[in-house]
């Protein structure tokens, strides 16, 4: 069966090489394939064409519950931008064969074994099914035993040589290069008994790419007005704690808190007594819109906010009832102005964190202040102990008392 499809595979290989880069890189790669469950079928790996076959260091003899290949393979171009495990990686192909009895069928080639039996594109190797001369990329593997091409390259595995003038030839890469002690590509041929529902391949199971966490790290900042990464549920109201850390005492502060998305509204800010008192701060004002609020606090008599780290105001947030669960709703602190008693301005940069809508409420700080073992309520008020039901914060960690 392997020989039947060698002409088709070779034609595909040559067509891809025609579009490859002019300098061919070689890698010493080691792949291993396993039939899952082993009683459902047998597997085999081999190179794509005769030239590749001349550079095989070691290979399993024939079909069995497992198979392996170690070879110096040629660069075959680059995979497309899709959801496959090797998406946009340089291509180094081997051919995989999966034989099974009439009572079983092949589901997919996966990079892992999923206990729930459901496999998505990110779990599976990009393969080509050669059916009636059709070399298009497959998103479903319903036909067995057809010599699928699998890219066994890993970006972390460095090339052992290339055909460039100042680097080793393929012969030199093969004779002097090294192979990994463990497979560069563990492959699992996932079989299913005909008539059974699992395992199966779900083409729609493509996880969203996680957005980068661009929240500002204030741990190394000497002076900062910052917020906490706040967890909430749809339709709930929580208090957003705005903290101020300052190396020296200050007498005036101004800043704006902004929600990047219209998934919640900001309520009336409340001055915290953690850093000062309302009697000593004789001016506290704010200008409020639905998505942002500007806060100003100072003392005409130069009464000071002590130099430390703690909550300066709390701002209620009303989350929309139909807000989608998401961990990347931006919250920013901008337009920060801080001044000392003699009017000296203290530099503070803009700070960004995230407003999180989830199915579990709580607080997870973007950055923590010094660990002083003090206990604070969710609204920023310091308490002696956490003996009443509710959420508390101590040393940057959330404590839930039931």
């Amino acid at each position: 069966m392997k020989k039947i499809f060698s002409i088709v595979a070779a034609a595909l290989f040559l067509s891809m090489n025609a579009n490859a880069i002019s300098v061919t890189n070689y890698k010493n790669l080691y792949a291993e394939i396993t039939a899952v469950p082993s009683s459902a079928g047998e597997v085999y790996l081999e190179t794509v064409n005769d030239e590749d076959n001349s550079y095989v260091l070691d290979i399993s003899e024939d079909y069995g519950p497992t198979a392996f290949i170690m070879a110096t393979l040629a660069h075959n171009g680059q995979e497309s931008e899709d959801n496959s495990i090797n998406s946009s990686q340089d291509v180094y192909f081997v051919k995989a064969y999966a034989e099974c009895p009439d009572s079983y069928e092949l589901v997919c080639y996966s990079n892992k074994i999923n206990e729930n039996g459901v496999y998505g594109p990110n779990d599976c190797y990009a393969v080509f099914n050669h059916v009636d001369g059709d070399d298009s990329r497959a998103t479903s593997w319903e036909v067995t035993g057809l010599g699928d091409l699998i890219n066994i390259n890993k970006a972390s595995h460095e090339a052992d040589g290339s055909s460039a003038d100042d680097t080793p030839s393929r012969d030199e890469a093969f004779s002097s290069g090294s192979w990994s002690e463990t497979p560069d590509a563990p492959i699992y041929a996932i079989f299913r008994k005909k008539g059974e529902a699992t395992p199966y391949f779900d083409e729609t199971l493509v996880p969203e790419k996680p957005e980068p966490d661009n929240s500002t790290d204030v741990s190394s900042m000497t002076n900062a007005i910052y917020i906490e990464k706040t967890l909430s549920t749809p339709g709930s109201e929580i208090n957003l704690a705005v903290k101020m850390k300052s190396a020296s005492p200050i007498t005036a502060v101004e800043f704006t808190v902004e929600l990047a998305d219209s998934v919640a509204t900001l309520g009336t800010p409340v001055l915290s007594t953690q850093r000062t008192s309302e009697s000593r701060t004789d001016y506290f004002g704010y200008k409020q819109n639905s998505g942002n609020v500007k806060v100003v606090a100072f003392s005409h008599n130069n009464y000071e906010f002590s130099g430390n780290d703690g909550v300066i105001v709390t701002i209620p947030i009303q989350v929309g009832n139909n807000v989608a669960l998401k961990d990347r709703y931006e919250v920013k602190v901008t337009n920060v102005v801080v001044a000392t008693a003699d009017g000296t301005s203290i530099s503070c940069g803009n700070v960004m964190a995230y407003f999180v809508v989830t199915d579990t409420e709580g607080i997870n700080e973007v950055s923590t202040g010094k660990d002083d073992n003090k206990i604070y309520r969710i609204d920023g008020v310091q308490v002696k102990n956490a003996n009443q039901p509710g959420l508390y914060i101590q040393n940057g960690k959330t404590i839930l008392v039931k």
Side-chain angles (χ1 to χ4, degrees):
M1 181 176 294
K2 291 179 285 182
K3 294 181 180 179
I4 296 175
F5 296 96
S6 61
I7 297 177
V8 176
L12 174 63
F13 177 82
L14 292 174
S15 67
M16 293 186 67
N17 261 349
N19 297 321
I21 59 177
S22 58
V23 176
T24 302
N25 295 316
Y26 303 110
K27 285 191 178 184
N28 295 339
L29 294 173
Y30 170 20
E32 184 178 81
I33 187 170
T34 304
V36 180
S38 59
S39 59
E42 296 182 326
V43 291
Y44 182 74
L45 292 175
E46 70 173 10
T47 55
V48 173
N49 58 20
D50 291 339
E51 181 181 358
D52 285 339
N53 194 49
S54 301
Y55 295 94
V56 174
L57 179 72
D58 198 6
I59 190 172
S60 51
E61 293 183 358
D62 210 333
Y63 285 87
T66 64
F68 71 92
I69 187 170
M70 302 173 73
T72 303
L73 299 177
H75 181 279
N76 305 135
Q78 191 175 71
E79 293 200 6
S80 63
E81 294 274 358
D82 58 22
N83 297 312
S84 65
I85 183 174
N86 288 310
S87 178
S88 300
Q89 297 295 327
D90 291 336
V91 174
Y92 291 80
F93 277 133
V94 294
K95 276 197 294 185
Y97 298 89
E99 290 279 14
C100 52
D102 292 339
S103 58
Y104 280 87
E105 57 191 351
L106 177 65
V107 176
C108 63
Y109 297 106
S110 177
N111 67 308
K112 61 182 180 179
I113 300 174
N114 289 342
E115 292 184 2
N116 64 359
V118 183
Y119 294 85
N122 282 52
D123 302 325
C124 299
Y125 289 93
V127 302
F128 288 83
N129 277 337
H130 308 304
V131 183
D132 297 329
D134 180 10
D135 294 332
S136 61
R137 182 176 301 278
T139 54
S140 178
W141 295 271
E142 298 176 354
V143 186
T144 63
L146 298 180
D148 294 307
L149 295 184
I150 293 183
N151 179 13
I152 64 170
N153 181 40
K154 283 179 63 178
S156 60
H157 187 97
E158 297 297 329
D160 293 298
S162 76
S163 59
D165 294 338
D166 57 348
T167 55
S169 66
R170 191 173 189 180
D171 289 323
E172 291 172 312
F174 177 72
S175 60
S176 61
S178 60
W179 277 260
S180 301
E181 294 183 1
T182 56
D184 294 293
I187 305 167
Y188 300 96
I190 308 298
F191 293 103
R192 172 180 62 206
K193 195 165 187 178
K194 290 183 178 179
E196 293 188 354
T198 58
Y200 66 92
F201 177 76
D202 187 347
E203 192 174 328
T204 65
L205 278 184
V206 183
E208 293 184 5
K209 293 183 179 180
E211 298 181 48
D213 188 353
N214 296 321
S215 55
T216 306
D217 181 11
V218 301
S219 60
S220 60
M221 292 183 179
T222 304
N223 301 287
I225 305 293
Y226 65 101
I227 64 173
E228 297 177 333
K229 185 174 182 179
T230 305
L231 307 183
S232 180
T233 56
S236 64
E237 180 177 296
I238 57 172
N239 285 316
L240 179 71
V242 183
K243 287 189 172 183
M244 177 173 66
K245 61 184 295 188
S246 56
S248 304
I250 66 169
T251 59
V253 61
E254 176 182 317
F255 57 87
T256 301
V257 175
E258 302 176 5
L259 294 183
D261 299 272
S262 57
V263 297
T265 55
L266 293 170
T268 302
V270 178
L271 183 67
S272 170
T273 57
Q274 185 175 329
R275 293 296 302 271
T276 186
S277 66
E278 293 183 9
S279 62
R280 294 171 64 86
T281 304
D282 49 19
Y283 182 83
F284 173 65
Y286 56 88
K287 183 178 181 180
Q288 186 177 1
N289 294 307
S290 60
N292 64 78
V293 58
K294 181 179 181 179
V295 174
V296 179
F298 64 87
S299 169
H300 287 99
N301 299 316
N302 282 342
Y303 289 128
E304 295 176 328
F305 297 89
S306 58
N308 55 39
D309 189 355
V311 177
I312 182 171
V313 298
T314 56
I315 305 175
I317 296 181
Q318 178 62 56
V319 185
N321 291 316
N322 299 317
V323 173
L325 303 184
K326 184 180 176 182
D327 64 351
R328 287 296 184 271
Y329 292 119
E330 289 183 3
V331 184
K332 297 180 180 180
V333 178
T334 61
N335 304 319
V336 180
V337 178
V338 177
T340 61
D342 61 2
T344 302
S345 176
I346 296 177
S347 176
C348 294
N350 294 341
V351 174
M352 183 177 74
Y354 292 106
F355 177 69
V356 181
V357 180
T358 180
D359 54 3
T360 304
E361 291 189 15
I363 296 291
N364 180 18
E365 289 188 310
V366 173
S367 59
T368 62
K370 61 181 181 181
D371 294 345
D372 54 11
N373 292 320
K374 293 180 180 178
I375 302 173
Y376 302 99
R377 292 200 319 239
I378 198 67
D379 60 1
V381 176
Q382 183 179 343
V383 295
K384 291 183 178 181
N385 48 54
N387 56 5
Q388 297 296 322
L391 283 172
Y392 299 87
I393 299 173
Q394 184 178 33
N395 295 336
K397 296 182 178 179
T398 303
I399 303 170
L400 174 62
V401 178
K402 296 183 178 180

